[in-house]
Amino acid sequence: MESLFGPKLHSKNGEIDTGAALKDKVVGIYFSAHWCPPCRSFTPELAKTYKLLTETQGKNFEIVFVSSDNDDSGFTEYYNSMPWLALPYADREKKGFLSKKFKVSGIPTLVILDPSGSIITKDGRTQIDGDPEGANFPWVPPEVKDVLGTEFMSKDGKTVNLADLDGHHIAVYFSAHWCPPCKTFTPNLAKVYNKLKSEGKKFEIIFASSDKNEQEFNEYYKEMPWLAIPYVDRERKLKLSQKFGVTGIPCLVVLGTDLDVVNPNARNRVSNDLDAVEYPWGAKPLINLDEDPSNINDYVSVLFVKGEGMDEGAAKAIMDKLSSTGEQFIQKAKSSKEDQEFMFFYSNSANGKVTSSVIEAMEGTVPADKPLLVVLDIPEGGKYSIVESDNPTPDMVDKVIEEYKAGNLSMKQLM
C-alpha cells in the first residue's frame, strides 16, 4: 500500500504509518471534494456504512480520502466531516498518480482494493448505494456468467440456453430504439453478424435493451437477427450494465469463449471493419487514431504521425516497434488484471481528421512534412510532450516511455 499512498497518511490524530494503518485491510480510495454537490450528498452515507462495518461489525476496512479540493483550507474543512484516513493534501503528485492509475474521470469515485492492493471494484459508490448495510462487503463483483444469465429469447420465440453457446464469442449489445447513433449502428452490426454466421463462425449477439417500454423493445428487436434478454428482466440488464461499466449507448461488449472481456466496447472497431477482418476485435497493439480515437481520452498514449517526406522503411520500423511494445503492455495488463498502462496510436498524415485536431491543440506549428513522435496524457488535464527529433527512431519509443514514467518529460498543455 505504501507504493500507492506513500509512507505516511493523515489521520484524525495526526500522521500515521501507511503500512501499519492499512495492514490486512480492504481499502476504499475515496476521490471527492467539498465543492462537489454529489460528493457532499454521498459522503455522509459512506460514513454511515464505514462506521457500521468498522465499529459495529469489526470488519478490516479502511478508507483513504484523496482530495480534489481547490486548496488546503477546503480540504481541512471537508475532512473534518469524515471519520477515516486521508492522503496528505500537499502531496498533489501522489493524488495525480492515483487519479491516473484508477482512471478517475469524475467524482465522487470510490475504488475498493483487497489487502494486496488489487482492485475489487472501481464502482464502490454504486455498491454502497445498493448495500448501505454492508451485507455484501467487500463487494466483489459477480462473474460474467452470474449476471449474463442462462436463458435468452430468439427471433422465433424459442428459448436459447447459455450452454447452447458453448465455444462461441458472445457480444452483449446495449442499445435502444430512441438513440439515433444506435439506429445508425444496428444495421451495420447486423451485416457483420450475418456475414460471420454465413462463414460458420461461432458468434452470437445478445441484445440488452435500454428502451423505455416493452412496445419500443419489440419494435426495435424486429430489426435484429440475434438473441435478446427479455425486456421484463430489467434487473439482469441493470446488473450487466453495472458489470461492464456501460455509461452510454450504443455499446458492444465482446466476450471470449470463456466469457472473459475481449473488448469492453467494440462499436468503433466494428464500424471500421464491416468485412469482419479483425473479428473478434480484441485489443490492438497499434491503433489508427483517425479510425478509432475512442481510448485516447482514457489512457496515456504514444502517437506516431508519419511525415509526408519520411522514408517508408523508417516509418515501418517505428510502427513495428510501437506494435510490439503495445503487445507487451496488452499482455502485462492481462496478467495483472489491471488496465493497460499505455496505448499506442499512429496516423498516416498530420491532416487526418482526428490527428489534425490533436496537432492544432499543440503549441506552435508542427510541420506536416516532418514525422512526429509524441506522448499524450489527456487524462491528466490534456498534457503532451514531443520527442525533439526530425527523424525519430525505434529506440526512442522505449526511451520516451521510460522518461515519462520517471517524470522526466517536460509536459506542455494542450490548448
Side-chain angles (χ1 to χ4, degrees), residues 11 47 74 116 156 193 212 241 268 273 310 334 369 376 395:
S11 78
S116 72
D156 57 10
Y193 174 84
K212 297 174 182 177
S241 295
N268 284 337
D273 183 35
M310 189 177 190
K334 285 182 179 179
D369 62 330
L376 291 168
D395 61 289

Side-chain angles (χ1 to χ4, degrees), residues 129-151:
D129 284 341
D131 180 31
E133 302 297 315
N136 298 317
F137 174 85
W139 305 291
V140 177
E143 298 292 330
V144 171
K145 62 182 177 61
D146 296 326
V147 291
L148 186 60
T150 58
E151 294 184 346

Side-chain angles (χ1 to χ4, degrees), residues 24 133 147 163 187 203 220 283:
D24 299 328
E133 302 297 315
V147 291
F203 177 60
Y220 192 28

Side-chain angles (χ1 to χ4, degrees), residues 286 296 299-304 322 342-346 373-376 397 400-401:
L286 183 61
I296 197 77
Y299 296 85
V300 180
S301 304
V302 178
L303 168 65
F304 169 61
L322 289 168
F342 287 86
M343 298 289 284
F344 297 85
F345 294 88
Y346 77 94
L373 187 63
V374 58
V375 174
L376 291 168
V397 173
V400 75
I401 291 173

Side-chain angles (χ1 to χ4, degrees), residues 7-40:
K8 301 290 183 180
L9 288 170
H10 192 70
S11 78
K12 307 308 278 189
N13 298 314
E15 196 175 73
I16 189 171
D17 289 336
T18 300
L22 304 182
K23 181 177 175 58
D24 299 328
K25 291 185 177 181
V26 172
V27 176
I29 309 178
Y30 184 38
F31 298 88
S32 186
H34 186 265
W35 50 260
C36 162
C39 299
R40 294 200 303 271

Side-chain angles (χ1 to χ4, degrees), residues 34-95:
H34 186 265
W35 50 260
C36 162
C39 299
R40 294 200 303 271
S41 297
F42 180 62
T43 296
E45 299 306 314
L46 178 59
K48 290 177 186 176
T49 301
Y50 172 82
K51 290 178 179 178
L52 182 64
L53 289 169
T54 58
E55 297 176 7
T56 305
Q57 301 179 18
K59 302 290 188 184
N60 281 340
F61 181 48
E62 190 53 81
I63 293 176
V64 178
F65 169 42
V66 177
S67 173
S68 293
D69 288 296
N70 295 323
D71 51 43
D72 187 72
S73 62
F75 161 79
T76 300
E77 181 182 353
Y78 192 29
Y79 183 55
N80 285 338
S81 68
M82 302 175 179
W84 42 69
L85 306 179
L87 183 76
Y89 182 80
D91 198 347
R92 295 290 82 193
E93 182 176 343
K94 185 66 71 175
K95 183 268 179 187

Side-chain angles (χ1 to χ4, degrees), residues 349-363:
S349 171
N351 297 317
K353 58 183 179 181
V354 177
T355 304
S356 59
S357 297
V358 173
I359 290 176
E360 286 172 6
M362 295 178 184
E363 185 179 292

